[in-house]
Amino acid sequence: MINALDRLVTLLAKLPGVGKKSAGRMAYHILETSPDYARELARELAGLHHAIKHCSVCGAFTETDPCPICTDSGRDTSIICVVERAQDVRVIDESREFHGRFHVLGGLIAPLEGIGPDDLSIGRLLSRVRKEGVREVILAMNPTLEGDTTALYLQKLLKDTGADVTRLASGLPVGGDLEYTDRLTLSRSFRGRIKL
């Protein structure tokens, strides 16, 4: 018979990078801490989707719309860094190497998974580049087959906008993930980006 602890372990094990053993350790930790901690955790999880939204401009996660990055007058509005997922914005922003604006695609072109260009926010990107006078678009997709395919597709579309199209340079491992890249590697990748 499944009990509350088993149900919690099953739910935690669905998180990315969390196996059944790690989920069990988390569940026991929650059980062994004070009930106040468990209530606070549950309250934060329950309110997460209500509190956090996608920015209507760039697509990043935010509590205010537009997000603080899009409304920061100290940022360079002539450069847009294009990323796959909203969490990539935070990873790159924390490197303190990039001072422009962002654009979240919401995924990558992956025909085998049924994801095509129309499923991504490519139209909004093209509109922003044209309307905002963007002079450089940095493609910061993960160096995977899908990332390379998406970058090539965007490079062709952006060719007629007048903006330079660059891609993060070496330093990011092939098949790697921006979320797990250390700050120094990410910093070097930004400094060594190349024009496509």
Side-chain angles (χ1 to χ4, degrees), residues 14-40:
K14 290 181 179 181
L15 294 169
V18 178
K20 192 164 177 130
K21 281 187 177 185
S22 294
R25 282 193 295 275
M26 288 181 207
Y28 279 107
H29 174 77
I30 292 168
L31 196 57
E32 291 170 351
T33 59
S34 77
D36 291 338
Y37 172 76
R39 277 191 290 277
E40 184 180 352

Side-chain angles (χ1 to χ4, degrees), residues 171-190:
L172 293 176
V174 173
D177 195 306
L178 283 173
E179 187 174 351
Y180 302 109
T181 303
D182 65 284
R183 287 183 181 178
L184 180 60
T185 301
L186 195 57
S187 176
R188 287 181 180 163
S189 295
F190 265 99

Side-chain angles (χ1 to χ4, degrees), residues 126-172:
L126 293 172
S127 176
R128 287 183 67 195
V129 170
R130 290 185 179 112
K131 288 179 183 174
E132 296 174 18
V134 173
R135 64 176 171 78
E136 181 183 5
V137 177
I138 302 168
L139 303 178
M141 277 68 81
N142 291 317
T144 60
L145 179 61
E146 293 83 3
D148 292 343
T149 300
T150 305
L152 184 61
Y153 182 81
L154 290 174
Q155 177 188 355
K156 288 178 182 176
L157 286 180
L158 291 163
K159 195 175 194 177
D160 298 330
T161 64
D164 289 335
V165 180
T166 59
R167 182 127 190 232
L168 294 186
S170 62
L172 293 176

